[in-house]
Amino acid sequence: MDVSVITSNFKFLILQGLIGIGPFIGGTLRLAIPAILFGFVLGIFVGLARLAQAPWIRMPATMYVEFFRGVPLVMVIFWIWFIIPQLLRLPIPEYGVALTAFVIFEAAYFGEIVRAGVQSVPRGQVEAATALGMTGTKTMAYVVLPQALKNMVPSLVTQMIVLFKDTSLASIIGYVDLTKAAQIVNNREIKPFQIYIFIAIVYWLCTYSMSVFARRLERRAA
Amino acid sequence: MTAGEPAIVFRDADKWFGKLHVLRDINLAIAAGDVVVVCGPSGSGKSTLIRCVNGLERVQAGDVVVLGDSITKRGVNLPALRTRVGMVFQSFNLFPHMTALQNIMLAPMKVRKLARAEAEKTARALLERVGLREKADAYPANLSGGQQQRVAIARALAMQPKIMLFDEPTSALDPEMINEVLDVMTALAREGMTMMCVTHEMGFARRVAHRVVFMDEGQVVEEGTPQDFFAAPKSDRGKQFLSKILTH
């Protein structure tokens, strides 16, 4: 098989497509890493809000989760791409659109993982901390969350892998990630077989290293 | 709290779980330094009773006054009150992600804001006191039930409480481990700690308690010295209960 199309476009696919260094705004990692980070942080707040006793905190969080779990990610991207600029009367660049869409969409899923993780910690743990005079916040920070996080690792990593692969959807608004970079190269070279197998391997290597890392984390936490 | 005032007072206290009336018109006073054993058949409300002392459960009518503070009052600072009331649970509830030492140090450092060195010194002294000096760096999963419960007692004592609550502290233990926990509790009682213990250990009640409170169906049916209660219970329900647990 002639793989010269890969070697001659390797730099563009990897630097521009995967990492985001190049003439276009793009990069799968440049989108995925902050999206995972911010999505998870927002997800912690959403998950904890879902467990709040006060209905005025719990209800909006529940609606948030139910709403974003019920609509397709592509639609969220399109909204932010088409509607928000019209409402605000200011243009949002592709990167801002994609990152915003991923963070608010994924926070709903991360929030559910956080909620399940917190609920997996036995009630007696909260009671023991409470009986020692710890406030709700301290109990959460020092007793519940450390145990919950450990239980959450497998589902969190699965969700992070899903998010990583979903970043390919950003290509539909012209964000030059790995998928879009492959499309650009293919339009010029018409070698879909080589190009798309190559990017599949790149995606797989990234996600596989995430699962290997997760397995190590789980073993260490056990 | 002024001198002579009881450490714990229940005044016409009632509590319901939904439709279930779990505490009925409880009136009880426990003096500082008293060791009180609460006994009764399961479902009689004894665990709920002691959980009302540190506000893990709230009474819905009447009042509970602990160390001079009403815990039903609006705006009562429950976390502050709980630092003066230690609690030991049936299922130990040690924090599994921390070593024995860290379990004991957590609340003094995070609540009392003690410096690490000072908290560690106290924690090691407490481990010594419960006979577990060499287990400081062990995680709960690597300790026996009896050892876990002794660490849990040390953890509660680290906050220097005035009152200790024990909620069936030996019920989850294998028989050969019960005594090591009871020994620690006995020593604590001899030092003058105010203690309220829900337990089925009638030997402990006889030897250590100043007073026995017998509960059934959410009511305090009778209370008295262990000598009186075990020799001649006044109520029929007390007689029935004793005949069931003392014949073996």
Side-chain angles (χ1 to χ4, degrees):
Chain A
M1 195 170 73
D2 178 17
V3 294
S4 61
V5 60
I6 303 300
T7 46
S8 57
N9 290 293
F10 189 82
K11 247 177 82 178
F12 179 74
L13 287 170
I14 295 300
L15 284 183
Q16 171 70 65
L18 181 65
I19 299 167
I21 304 167
F24 306 105
I25 294 181
T28 291
L29 289 176
R30 204 155 72 97
L31 177 60
I33 291 170
I36 286 174
L37 220 67
F38 291 126
F40 179 47
V41 170
L42 183 59
I44 290 180
F45 286 105
V46 171
L48 294 182
R50 284 266 277 155
L51 294 166
Q53 274 177 4
W56 58 273
I57 300 176
R58 194 180 61 236
M59 291 304 289
T62 306
M63 279 159 64
Y64 179 94
V65 169
E66 293 296 347
F67 181 77
F68 283 105
R69 277 201 315 188
V71 295
L73 175 55
V74 185
M75 216 185 75
V76 178
I77 296 174
F78 278 155
W79 277 339
I80 298 175
W81 182 235
F82 291 119
I83 300 174
I84 306 285
Q86 275 194 27
L87 289 177
L88 297 179
R89 305 215 166 278
L90 86 165
I92 304 179
E94 293 93 337
Y95 183 69
V97 171
L99 185 58
T100 311
F102 279 105
V103 168
I104 62 173
F105 187 83
E106 295 293 334
Y109 287 88
F110 282 126
E112 283 302 274
I113 294 170
V114 170
R115 182 178 66 91
V118 167
Q119 283 177 326
S120 74
V121 177
R123 174 109 206 99
Q125 292 289 308
V126 178
E127 288 187 350
T130 307
L132 286 165
M134 293 171 71
T135 58
T137 316
K138 281 176 184 156
T139 300
M140 193 47 87
Y142 301 116
V143 175
V144 177
L145 276 185
Q147 296 182 59
L149 271 172
K150 205 180 91 182
N151 298 346
M152 281 186 251
V153 169
S155 340
L156 274 183
V157 172
T158 302
Q159 192 56 39
M160 286 174 186
I161 288 173
V162 169
L163 193 161
F164 184 83
K165 296 187 298 177
D166 280 352
T167 55
S168 61
L169 285 173
S171 63
I172 58 172
I173 56 167
Y175 181 79
V176 186
D177 72 327
L178 191 54
T179 304
K180 187 71 185 177
Q183 225 176 327
I184 292 170
V185 174
N186 189 48
N187 285 345
R188 196 169 56 220
E189 313 256 1
I190 327 284
K191 292 259 170 36
F193 194 73
Q194 286 91 332
I195 294 169
Y196 284 110
I197 283 189
F198 174 71
I199 68 160
I201 292 170
V202 176
Y203 273 117
W204 184 83
L205 282 175
C206 290
T207 53
Y208 185 69
S209 46
M210 284 162 84
S211 9
V212 170
F213 175 72
R215 256 196 299 265
R216 251 192 241 164
L217 204 68
E218 269 177 75
R219 224 174 301 143
R220 222 190 49 193
Chain B
M1 188 176 115
T2 53
E5 193 177 332
I8 305 168
V9 183
F10 281 82
R11 207 171 284 141
D12 308 324
D14 279 272
K15 181 169 182 62
W16 290 262
F17 285 137
K19 281 199 175 131
L20 192 66
H21 201 168
V22 280
L23 294 181
R24 295 166 190 257
D25 193 28
I26 304 286
N27 281 288
L28 203 60
I30 293 165
D34 258 8
V35 176
V36 173
V37 161
V38 183
C39 62
S42 59
S44 58
K46 45 198 196 310
S47 283
T48 308
L49 182 80
I50 71 163
R51 288 163 62 89
C52 284
V53 175
N54 65 351
L56 283 185
E57 306 283 355
R58 309 291 288 266
V59 297
Q60 284 141 332
D63 199 5
V64 182
V65 181
V66 179
L67 299 167
D69 289 324
S70 159
I71 71 161
T72 57
K73 207 172 51 192
R74 274 182 80 90
V76 62
N77 186 350
L78 276 177
L81 179 110
R82 287 176 181 132
T83 62
R84 298 187 288 160
V85 182
M87 186 164 199
V88 174
F89 299 86
Q90 179 177 354
S91 47
F92 329 131
N93 297 346
L94 289 181
F95 308 133
H97 58 302
M98 297 180 190
T99 63
L101 195 68
Q102 290 167 337
N103 262 279
I104 302 172
M105 288 164 63
L106 180 72
M109 283 174 62
K110 301 301 176 194
V111 180
R112 279 256 153 81
K113 310 282 182 202
L114 241 57
R116 172 173 292 277
E118 202 179 336
E120 185 173 335
K121 212 178 107 198
T122 319
R124 287 195 187 277
L126 283 165
L127 276 175
E128 175 102 54
R129 186 164 154 195
V130 298
L132 291 171
R133 192 179 51 149
E134 73 288 1
K135 295 291 184 188
D137 297 320
Y139 282 89
N142 298 322
L143 296 172
S144 72
Q147 291 170 334
Q148 288 189 55
Q149 194 61 300
R150 284 187 282 156
V151 173
I153 294 173
R155 179 177 67 176
L157 290 175
M159 295 301 278
Q160 299 171 320
K162 298 273 182 289
I163 298 172
M164 283 287 282
L165 307 172
F166 293 85
D167 189 2
E168 303 205 25
T170 56
S171 299
L173 295 177
D174 291 335
E176 74 269 23
M177 292 171 185
I178 290 176
N179 279 334
E180 63 189 57
V181 172
L182 291 181
D183 287 347
V184 171
M185 290 169 64
T186 305
L188 203 56
R190 302 258 186 267
E191 287 162 32
M193 177 66 78
T194 309
M195 288 165 61
M196 201 169 165
C197 316
V198 173
T199 181
H200 298 293
E201 298 299 328
M202 292 304 134
F204 172 82
R206 249 191 244 266
R207 275 182 291 110
V208 182
H210 302 119
R211 221 146 43 98
V212 175
V213 171
F214 173 67
M215 287 185 74
D216 192 20
E217 295 180 346
Q219 282 172 313
V220 173
V221 178
E222 65 173 288
E223 53 171 307
T225 64
Q227 290 74 21
D228 290 346
F229 177 69
F230 289 114
K234 284 173 277 192
S235 64
D236 288 342
R237 279 186 285 182
K239 279 180 198 140
Q240 247 174 35
F241 175 73
L242 285 179
S243 74
K244 275 183 196 141
I245 60 164
L246 294 179
T247 46
H248 304 289

